[in-house]
Amino acid sequence: MTGTNGKTTTTRMLAHILAADGQIVGMTSTDGVYIDGRRIMEGDCTGPRSARVVLGEPTIDVAVLETARGGLLREGLAFDFCDIGCVTNVTADHLGLRGVHTVEDLAAVKSVVVEAVHQDGWSILNADDPLVAAMREEAGGHICYFSTKAPTQWPGFLKDHVLQGGRALGCDLASGTFDMILYDRAQKMLICRVNEIPATMSGMAVFNVENALAASAMAVCSGVPLPVIREALRSFGTSYEQSAGRLNMVEREGVRIIVDYAHNPGGLRALGGLVRKLRTGNSSCIGVVGIGGDRRDQDIFEVGEIAAGLFDRLILKEDYDLRGRSAGEVAAILREGALKAGFDASKGDRAPRTRGSRARARLSPK
C-alpha cells in the first residue's frame, strides 16, 4: 500500500487486524521489517529490497508492504502482481526530486501499486481524493472505495458504484454518528463505531478515521470477518509501542505532549485540525516543527505558514541529516514562512539539530 500521508499507520493497523485473525504477518514500514510482530531489520524499510526480505520468508501467511515513492522510482516494485493494493491519498511532497515535479506526476508513480493488482484482487482507493479516485481507470482487479463524506455528498462515480452493488466503506463524519459502514452487494453492515477506536480519539483525529477505513477495506477484501476487524480496531491506539512516531501523546504535570511525523504541509495541516480541537480557551500551544531539507523551498515555506496559524510559540528545528542544505537554511525558510503569515518574531526560536521527530505540539495552561 502507498500514499503521501497515512501509509505507515494504515500498514500497522492492517497488520494488527490480520494478526488478530490468527495470521502470521510479515510487514515492511518506515521503522523496519517485522515478522510475526518481531522487528528483524531497523530503518526506513519501505523499498523493494525490504519487501523481498518479507516475500522470501517461508513462515508468514501474508505480507503487508508499505511502499514509498523513493523505492518505486529507484527499483520499482518487489513483485509482479499483488492481491490487494491501496492508495491513501496524494498531496504535495518530495516534488522536484527524481523527475517528479507535480502532484499529478506523484500520483502516476503511486498508481503503480494498484496497477499491479491481479484480475481477481482488489484495489482500495480514496474516493475523496480526486487524483486517487481517478486511478480506477488503470487499477487492477475489483474496486473498493472509502470515503468520510455523507452519502448525499458522494461524487457520482461512488454513488453509481454502490447502487450497482460495488464495495465501499464510508464514515459520515459530518453526521456525528461516526459509524464505519461497509456497503457491499446492496447491503449495509456496521464495521465499527469510530469512538470505539482509540487511534481516532473519538473521531477528532480525522486522518486516523481515514486510515482505519483504508485498513478495514483491505481486511474486508482479504476475507477477515467483520467481528475480528471490529475487535482489532478497538485495541489499536497511538501508543509508542503500537504506532511509534505517529500521534504519540503523553501528559506530564498537566501538560499534554503530542509527537507526530507531520513531515509535509498536508500532514501538518491534518495534525493542526486535531490540535485545534484539543485546545481549550485557557491553553497555550508550543510547536516544535521541522521538515526535511530535500523538500522544495516553497514546501518548507508553506510548513512555516501553517505552523504560524497553529501555535502560540514556535521552535524551529532541523534534522541531523541536512539532506543537501547548509546548517540553518531550513530553519530560516520556515521562519520566513511563519513571519509572512503574521507570526510574532519574538515568540519564535530555533532548536539545535537532532535526530528526533518532525513535529511536536505542547498544550499547556497559561
Side-chain angles (χ1 to χ4, degrees):
M1 63 90 53
T2 191
T4 302
N5 292 308
K7 56 184 178 292
T8 299
T9 300
T10 303
T11 295
R12 291 168 173 169
M13 277 186 177
L14 176 60
H16 182 70
I17 294 169
L18 294 171
D21 191 43
Q23 302 187 52
I24 298 175
V25 182
M27 180 183 79
T28 64
S29 74
T30 52
D31 69 334
V33 173
Y34 293 77
I35 302 295
D36 198 19
R38 183 173 63 89
R39 184 160 65 181
I40 64 167
M41 291 174 58
E42 187 174 353
D44 187 346
C45 297
T46 55
R49 295 181 186 180
S50 301
R52 283 193 285 269
V53 172
V54 168
L55 293 172
E57 172 56 51
T59 64
I60 67 170
D61 299 312
V62 60
V64 179
L65 308 175
E66 180 180 350
T67 306
R69 163 212 60 94
L72 285 171
L73 289 169
R74 283 194 307 272
E75 299 180 56
L77 293 168
F79 47 84
D80 293 325
F81 299 100
C82 59
D83 298 304
I84 295 173
C86 175
V87 184
T88 57
N89 50 65
V90 179
T91 62
D93 194 19
H94 295 286
L95 300 184
L97 300 173
R98 293 181 176 270
V100 177
H101 298 288
T102 67
V103 182
E104 289 76 17
D105 291 341
L106 187 59
V109 173
K110 293 186 179 294
S111 69
V112 170
V113 170
V114 288
E115 290 171 16
V117 174
H118 65 71
Q119 63 179 1
D120 296 321
W122 288 88
S123 289
I124 315 300
L125 301 175
N126 183 350
D128 299 337
D129 186 319
L131 287 172
V132 176
M135 295 178 190
R136 64 186 181 274
E137 301 297 335
E138 303 295 335
H142 310 285
I143 303 293
C144 175
Y145 295 104
F146 64 93
S147 172
T148 58
K149 293 183 178 179
T152 55
Q153 300 299 315
W154 283 352
F157 70 84
L158 180 55
K159 291 179 180 177
D160 291 343
H161 178 79
V162 171
L163 284 172
Q164 293 166 12
R167 183 175 292 176
L169 278 75
C171 182
D172 179 4
L173 292 180
S175 70
T177 57
F178 287 2
D179 290 344
M180 287 175 49
I181 302 295
L182 168 64
Y183 300 85
D184 193 19
R185 290 172 292 185
Q187 298 183 69
K188 290 174 59 176
M189 292 161 278
L190 176 68
I191 297 176
C192 192
R193 290 189 167 87
V194 166
N195 60 9
E196 297 175 329
I197 307 172
T200 72
M201 298 185 177
S202 297
M204 290 191 294
V206 172
F207 48 90
N208 271 350
V209 177
E210 295 170 345
N211 296 336
L213 285 168
S216 298
M218 287 186 280
V220 166
C221 293
S222 297
V224 179
L226 294 188
V228 173
I229 296 173
R230 183 177 303 118
E231 290 305 313
L233 290 174
R234 287 171 174 169
S235 62
F236 190 90
T238 60
S239 66
Y240 186 83
E241 291 72 24
Q242 275 193 313
S243 195
R246 303 307 192 274
L247 201 58
N248 305 146
M249 187 179 299
V250 296
E251 293 203 20
R252 295 288 186 272
E253 300 179 358
V255 176
R256 180 182 287 140
I257 301 168
I258 303 171
V259 180
D260 188 76
Y261 192 73
H263 64 296
N264 54 48
L268 184 57
R269 195 173 285 112
L271 178 64
L274 173 63
V275 169
R276 289 190 181 97
K277 293 170 186 174
L278 291 173
R279 293 188 68 166
T280 63
N282 295 319
S283 67
S284 62
C285 189
I286 302 169
V288 183
V289 179
I291 182 173
D294 56 352
R295 268 52 170 192
R296 302 176 302 175
D297 285 4
Q298 64 218 65
D299 300 320
I300 301 173
F301 187 92
E302 186 178 358
V303 165
E305 287 185 306
I306 296 167
L310 292 176
F311 306 116
D312 301 302
R313 184 183 168 200
L314 268 179
I315 300 174
L316 306 176
K317 67 175 288 293
E318 294 179 326
D319 288 344
Y320 186 82
D321 181 1
L322 294 172
R323 302 193 185 188
R325 299 274 183 172
S326 58
E329 187 178 355
V330 169
I333 300 172
L334 285 169
R335 183 176 185 274
E336 183 183 356
L339 295 179
K340 181 67 179 298
F343 194 77
D344 185 344
S346 67
K347 296 181 179 179
D349 203 352
R350 179 181 161 193
R353 282 190 290 140
T354 69
R355 298 179 186 270
S357 300
R358 298 287 187 207
R360 292 178 183 155
R362 169 175 164 164
L363 302 173
S364 59
K366 284 187 176 178

